[in-house]
Amino acid sequence: GLSYTWIFNNDTLSLRDDGRRFVSQETGNLYLAKVEPWDVGTYTCVVSNREAQQRAWGPPTPLTLRSDGVMGEYEPKIEVHFPETTYAAKGSAVRLECFALGK
């Protein structure tokens, strides 16, 4: 299967358990909550396939803070991406993802 890692300013992004950062292993998306000045920099996604022993790098994406402090209005959006059926062995862990975005 595929795994996703994010590079921040040329170093592997540390996903500390601070509750602000999350990488979806389903989509590869990086989610940042409550952006801080130290989050400013360049982010690059790396997709790895262990079985094929290959990696692909996405384009670098800069994150900057707006100086006016205005981010605009975003209507709430809830995304739920579950397969129609999810199978799991008894006693195993299952991870389901749900995100709410908005202001």
Side-chain angles (χ1 to χ4, degrees):
L2 300 177
S3 65
Y4 304 92
T5 305
W6 281 84
I7 306 299
F8 174 61
N9 293 336
N10 297 319
D11 290 316
T12 300
L13 181 63
S14 173
L15 296 175
R16 299 182 305 252
D17 292 334
D18 61 7
R20 292 189 330 108
R21 300 180 201 143
F22 172 74
V23 174
S24 168
Q25 290 302 312
E26 180 72 27
T27 64
N29 292 344
L30 169 65
Y31 296 90
L32 291 158
K34 299 179 183 175
V35 174
E36 299 289 347
W38 53 83
D39 293 321
V40 170
T42 302
Y43 292 83
T44 306
C45 181
V46 181
V47 182
S48 302
N49 183 325
R50 287 185 189 239
E51 190 174 309
Q53 296 182 349
Q54 292 184 334
R55 284 185 174 179
W57 292 65
T61 303
L63 173 69
T64 57
L65 292 181
R66 291 183 59 143
S67 60
D68 60 11
V70 177
M71 292 304 292
E73 295 293 325
Y74 299 97
E75 71 179 55
K77 176 181 176 186
I78 297 176
E79 296 181 11
V80 181
H81 301 284
F82 298 133
E84 209 170 287
T85 305
T86 301
Y87 297 95
K90 182 178 178 181
S92 67
V94 175
R95 183 177 188 163
L96 304 175
E97 298 179 9
C98 178
F99 299 97
L101 310 169
K103 180 175 180 183

